[in-house]
Amino acid sequence: MAQINPSILSADFARLAQEAEAVRGSDWLHVDVMDNHFVPNLTLGVPIVESLARATDIPLDCHLMIEDPDRWAPQYVEAGAGSVTFHAEAAAAPVRLAREIRAKGARASMALKPATPIEPYEDLLPELDMLLIMTVEPGFGGQAFLDIMLPKIRRTRELISKHGLELWLQVDGGVSASTIERCAEAGADVFVAGSAVYGAQDPAEAVAKLRSLAEGATAAAGWACAH
Protein backbone atom coordinates (compact mmCIF):
# COMPACT_ATOMS: atom_id res chain seq x y z
CA MET A 1 0.00 0.00 0.00
CA ALA A 2 1.50 3.31 -1.11
CA GLN A 3 1.80 6.02 1.53
CA ILE A 4 1.84 9.73 0.66
CA ASN A 5 3.59 12.11 3.05
CA PRO A 6 3.16 15.80 2.09
CA SER A 7 6.16 17.91 3.05
CA ILE A 8 5.37 21.07 4.96
CA LEU A 9 8.62 22.54 3.64
CA SER A 10 6.43 23.63 0.71
CA ALA A 11 3.57 24.84 2.92
CA ASP A 12 2.86 28.32 4.28
CA PHE A 13 4.75 28.37 7.58
CA ALA A 14 2.44 31.09 8.92
CA ARG A 15 -0.57 28.77 8.52
CA LEU A 16 0.79 25.32 9.45
CA ALA A 17 -2.34 24.09 11.24
CA GLN A 18 -4.50 24.98 8.23
CA GLU A 19 -1.95 23.55 5.83
CA ALA A 20 -2.03 20.25 7.75
CA GLU A 21 -5.84 20.25 7.52
CA ALA A 22 -5.58 20.85 3.74
CA VAL A 23 -3.93 17.44 3.26
CA ARG A 24 -6.32 15.41 5.43
CA GLY A 25 -6.23 11.86 4.09
CA SER A 26 -2.45 11.80 3.98
CA ASP A 27 -0.66 8.97 5.75
CA TRP A 28 1.93 11.17 7.45
CA LEU A 29 2.95 14.82 7.50
CA HIS A 30 6.62 15.12 6.55
CA VAL A 31 8.54 17.69 8.61
CA ASP A 32 11.96 18.75 7.30
CA VAL A 33 14.27 19.86 10.10
CA MET A 34 17.41 21.66 8.85
CA ASP A 35 20.14 23.25 10.96
CA ASN A 36 22.16 25.29 8.41
CA HIS A 37 25.16 23.07 9.17
CA PHE A 38 24.46 19.58 7.83
CA VAL A 39 22.58 21.25 4.96
CA PRO A 40 22.76 24.88 3.78
CA ASN A 41 19.30 25.85 4.97
CA LEU A 42 17.54 26.58 8.25
CA THR A 43 13.92 25.56 8.86
CA LEU A 44 12.22 24.64 12.11
CA GLY A 45 12.84 22.74 15.32
CA VAL A 46 11.35 21.08 18.38
CA PRO A 47 8.89 23.85 19.43
CA ILE A 48 7.22 23.88 15.99
CA VAL A 49 6.96 20.09 15.99
CA GLU A 50 5.33 20.22 19.44
CA SER A 51 2.81 22.80 18.22
CA LEU A 52 2.09 20.89 15.01
CA ALA A 53 1.57 17.63 16.92
CA ARG A 54 -1.11 19.38 18.99
CA ALA A 55 -2.74 20.94 15.93
CA THR A 56 -3.22 17.83 13.77
CA ASP A 57 -4.02 14.16 14.20
CA ILE A 58 -1.99 13.26 11.09
CA PRO A 59 1.15 11.54 12.45
CA LEU A 60 4.40 13.46 12.02
CA ASP A 61 7.32 12.05 10.02
CA CYS A 62 10.34 14.15 11.06
CA HIS A 63 13.35 14.13 8.72
CA LEU A 64 16.38 15.46 10.59
CA MET A 65 18.90 17.03 8.23
CA ILE A 66 21.08 18.07 11.14
CA GLU A 67 24.43 17.49 12.75
CA ASP A 68 24.59 15.37 15.92
CA PRO A 69 21.24 13.55 15.53
CA ASP A 70 22.41 11.18 18.29
CA ARG A 71 21.82 14.07 20.70
CA TRP A 72 18.74 15.69 19.17
CA ALA A 73 16.62 12.93 17.59
CA PRO A 74 15.11 11.64 20.86
CA GLN A 75 13.76 15.13 21.58
CA TYR A 76 11.66 14.96 18.41
CA VAL A 77 10.01 11.77 19.64
CA GLU A 78 9.25 13.54 22.91
CA ALA A 79 7.85 16.48 20.91
CA GLY A 80 5.29 14.20 19.30
CA ALA A 81 6.86 12.74 16.14
CA GLY A 82 5.64 9.27 15.22
CA SER A 83 8.63 8.62 12.97
CA VAL A 84 12.11 10.14 13.19
CA THR A 85 14.66 9.92 10.39
CA PHE A 86 18.36 10.59 10.98
CA HIS A 87 21.06 10.73 8.31
CA ALA A 88 23.61 7.94 8.07
CA GLU A 89 26.23 10.55 7.21
CA ALA A 90 25.60 12.44 10.48
CA ALA A 91 24.95 9.74 13.07
CA ALA A 92 27.84 8.61 15.26
CA ALA A 93 26.11 5.45 16.49
CA PRO A 94 23.18 4.66 14.17
CA VAL A 95 22.20 1.34 15.74
CA ARG A 96 22.12 2.80 19.24
CA LEU A 97 20.18 5.82 17.98
CA ALA A 98 17.62 3.69 16.12
CA ARG A 99 17.08 1.60 19.24
CA GLU A 100 16.64 4.71 21.37
CA ILE A 101 14.06 6.18 18.97
CA ARG A 102 12.14 2.89 19.01
CA ALA A 103 12.38 2.61 22.80
CA LYS A 104 10.77 6.05 23.12
CA GLY A 105 7.84 4.87 21.01
CA ALA A 106 8.49 6.15 17.48
CA ARG A 107 9.45 4.48 14.23
CA ALA A 108 13.19 4.69 13.52
CA SER A 109 14.33 5.64 10.04
CA MET A 110 17.70 6.31 8.40
CA ALA A 111 18.29 8.51 5.36
CA LEU A 112 20.98 8.32 2.69
CA LYS A 113 22.15 11.24 0.56
CA PRO A 114 22.33 10.56 -3.20
CA ALA A 115 26.08 9.75 -3.13
CA THR A 116 25.84 7.41 -0.12
CA PRO A 117 25.55 3.73 -1.13
CA ILE A 118 23.14 1.38 0.61
CA GLU A 119 25.40 -1.69 0.67
CA PRO A 120 27.58 -0.73 3.69
CA TYR A 121 24.40 -0.45 5.78
CA GLU A 122 22.88 -3.83 4.88
CA ASP A 123 23.49 -5.29 8.35
CA LEU A 124 21.74 -2.30 9.99
CA LEU A 125 18.45 -2.73 8.13
CA PRO A 126 16.79 -4.96 10.77
CA GLU A 127 17.26 -2.12 13.29
CA LEU A 128 15.12 0.22 11.21
CA ASP A 129 11.44 0.70 10.45
CA MET A 130 12.07 2.76 7.32
CA LEU A 131 14.92 3.70 5.00
CA LEU A 132 14.86 7.01 3.12
CA ILE A 133 16.59 7.31 -0.25
CA MET A 134 17.09 10.99 -1.08
CA THR A 135 16.28 11.61 -4.74
CA VAL A 136 17.73 15.16 -4.60
CA GLU A 137 20.54 16.67 -2.55
CA PRO A 138 18.97 17.51 0.82
CA GLY A 139 18.56 21.13 1.80
CA PHE A 140 15.95 22.75 -0.44
CA GLY A 141 12.51 21.97 -1.81
CA GLY A 142 11.50 22.21 -5.45
CA GLN A 143 14.55 20.45 -6.90
CA ALA A 144 14.41 18.21 -9.97
CA PHE A 145 14.18 14.45 -9.39
CA LEU A 146 17.45 12.55 -9.89
CA ASP A 147 16.71 9.58 -12.16
CA ILE A 148 20.12 8.10 -11.34
CA MET A 149 18.72 7.16 -7.92
CA LEU A 150 16.32 4.57 -9.40
CA PRO A 151 18.92 1.75 -9.48
CA LYS A 152 19.74 2.48 -5.83
CA ILE A 153 16.05 2.20 -4.93
CA ARG A 154 15.93 -1.17 -6.72
CA ARG A 155 19.03 -2.45 -4.93
CA THR A 156 17.60 -1.36 -1.59
CA ARG A 157 14.30 -3.13 -2.29
CA GLU A 158 16.27 -6.28 -3.20
CA LEU A 159 18.12 -6.14 0.14
CA ILE A 160 14.85 -5.67 2.04
CA SER A 161 13.39 -8.70 0.26
CA LYS A 162 16.58 -10.74 0.75
CA HIS A 163 16.31 -10.35 4.52
CA GLY A 164 12.53 -10.71 4.63
CA LEU A 165 12.09 -7.37 6.37
CA GLU A 166 8.90 -5.34 6.88
CA LEU A 167 10.88 -2.18 6.15
CA TRP A 168 9.26 0.81 4.50
CA LEU A 169 11.25 2.37 1.65
CA GLN A 170 10.75 6.11 1.37
CA VAL A 171 11.81 8.50 -1.39
CA ASP A 172 12.09 12.26 -0.97
CA GLY A 173 12.93 14.89 -3.58
CA GLY A 174 11.25 15.83 -6.83
CA VAL A 175 8.40 13.36 -6.31
CA SER A 176 5.45 14.37 -8.49
CA ALA A 177 2.82 12.93 -10.82
CA SER A 178 5.52 12.60 -13.49
CA THR A 179 8.06 10.74 -11.31
CA ILE A 180 6.15 8.77 -8.66
CA GLU A 181 5.39 5.80 -10.89
CA ARG A 182 9.08 5.24 -11.61
CA CYS A 183 9.83 5.33 -7.88
CA ALA A 184 7.07 2.85 -7.12
CA GLU A 185 8.13 0.52 -9.90
CA ALA A 186 11.70 0.58 -8.55
CA GLY A 187 10.54 -0.44 -5.07
CA ALA A 188 9.56 2.64 -3.04
CA ASP A 189 6.33 2.48 -1.02
CA VAL A 190 6.43 5.76 0.96
CA PHE A 191 6.54 9.00 -1.01
CA VAL A 192 7.36 12.50 0.23
CA ALA A 193 5.86 15.20 -1.97
CA GLY A 194 6.21 18.91 -1.33
CA SER A 195 5.47 21.32 -4.15
CA ALA A 196 3.52 18.60 -6.03
CA VAL A 197 0.98 18.72 -3.19
CA TYR A 198 1.13 22.24 -1.76
CA GLY A 199 1.59 23.82 -5.18
CA ALA A 200 -1.66 22.24 -6.37
CA GLN A 201 -5.00 24.06 -6.33
CA ASP A 202 -6.46 21.24 -4.21
CA PRO A 203 -3.73 19.64 -2.05
CA ALA A 204 -5.98 16.80 -0.83
CA GLU A 205 -6.88 15.91 -4.42
CA ALA A 206 -3.18 15.98 -5.35
CA VAL A 207 -2.47 13.48 -2.55
CA ALA A 208 -5.22 11.17 -3.84
CA LYS A 209 -3.89 11.38 -7.40
CA LEU A 210 -0.32 10.60 -6.31
CA ARG A 211 -1.55 7.63 -4.27
CA SER A 212 -3.49 6.27 -7.24
CA LEU A 213 -0.49 6.59 -9.57
CA ALA A 214 1.84 4.92 -7.06
CA GLU A 215 -0.53 2.06 -6.33
CA GLY A 216 -1.08 1.42 -10.05
CA ALA A 217 2.67 1.25 -10.67
CA THR A 218 3.23 -0.93 -7.60
CA ALA A 219 0.58 -3.43 -8.67
CA ALA A 220 2.42 -3.94 -11.96
CA ALA A 221 5.90 -4.08 -10.41
CA GLY A 222 7.81 -7.33 -10.14
CA TRP A 223 8.99 -6.64 -6.60
CA ALA A 224 5.42 -6.24 -5.33
CA CYS A 225 4.27 -9.46 -6.99
CA ALA A 226 7.08 -11.34 -5.25
CA HIS A 227 6.45 -9.60 -1.91
Side-chain angles (χ1 to χ4, degrees):
M1 175 71 85
Q3 298 186 60
I4 307 299
N5 300 11
S7 170
I8 63 166
L9 185 64
S10 298
D12 181 350
F13 277 22
R15 302 173 59 253
L16 286 183
Q18 296 97 314
E19 295 284 59
E21 184 65 28
V23 293
R24 183 159 294 282
S26 303
D27 298 281
W28 296 77
L29 203 58
H30 190 80
V31 182
D32 289 301
V33 177
M34 307 183 195
D35 64 358
N36 207 30
H37 294 284
F38 182 69
V39 291
N41 195 6
L42 185 65
T43 54
L44 42 79
V46 169
I48 301 296
V49 172
E50 287 178 338
S51 297
L52 199 52
R54 289 194 298 268
T56 181
D57 56 6
I58 303 173
L60 303 184
D61 167 31
C62 286
H63 176 194
L64 307 185
M65 288 168 270
I66 62 174
E67 291 182 351
D68 200 9
D70 303 74
R71 175 185 176 189
W72 297 110
Q75 293 187 31
Y76 285 88
V77 184
E78 294 163 6
S83 176
V84 176
T85 301
F86 59 87
H87 265 266
E89 303 87 358
V95 171
R96 185 175 65 200
L97 179 55
R99 290 180 178 179
E100 186 175 0
I101 290 169
R102 281 175 156 180
K104 285 183 174 290
R107 295 177 62 86
S109 172
M110 186 172 74
L112 303 178
K113 287 183 175 183
T116 303
I118 178 59
E119 287 76 11
Y121 298 99
E122 179 177 353
D123 292 343
L124 273 65
L125 296 181
E127 301 288 340
L128 302 170
D129 297 296
M130 183 169 73
L131 189 89
L132 166 55
I133 302 290
M134 291 299 300
T135 42
V136 298
E137 287 293 340
F140 294 93
Q143 297 183 65
F145 178 80
L146 294 174
D147 279 284
I148 56 170
M149 290 298 103
L150 292 170
K152 182 174 168 183
I153 297 169
R154 289 193 181 92
R155 293 196 306 273
T156 304
R157 174 54 65 186
E158 287 165 5
L159 290 177
I160 292 169
S161 299
K162 171 185 170 183
H163 293 283
L165 301 172
E166 292 296 322
L167 181 67
W168 296 352
L169 181 51
Q170 185 179 66
V171 288
D172 180 4
V175 174
S176 68
S178 62
T179 61
I180 196 168
E181 290 171 299
R182 279 175 278 166
C183 295
E185 186 277 329
D189 54 8
V190 184
F191 307 87
V192 177
S195 49
V197 170
Y198 281 112
Q201 196 158 9
D202 184 337
E205 185 179 292
V207 168
K209 179 183 179 182
L210 289 170
R211 190 191 309 281
S212 176
L213 289 170
E215 290 183 348
T218 299
W223 70 266
C225 298
H227 191 54

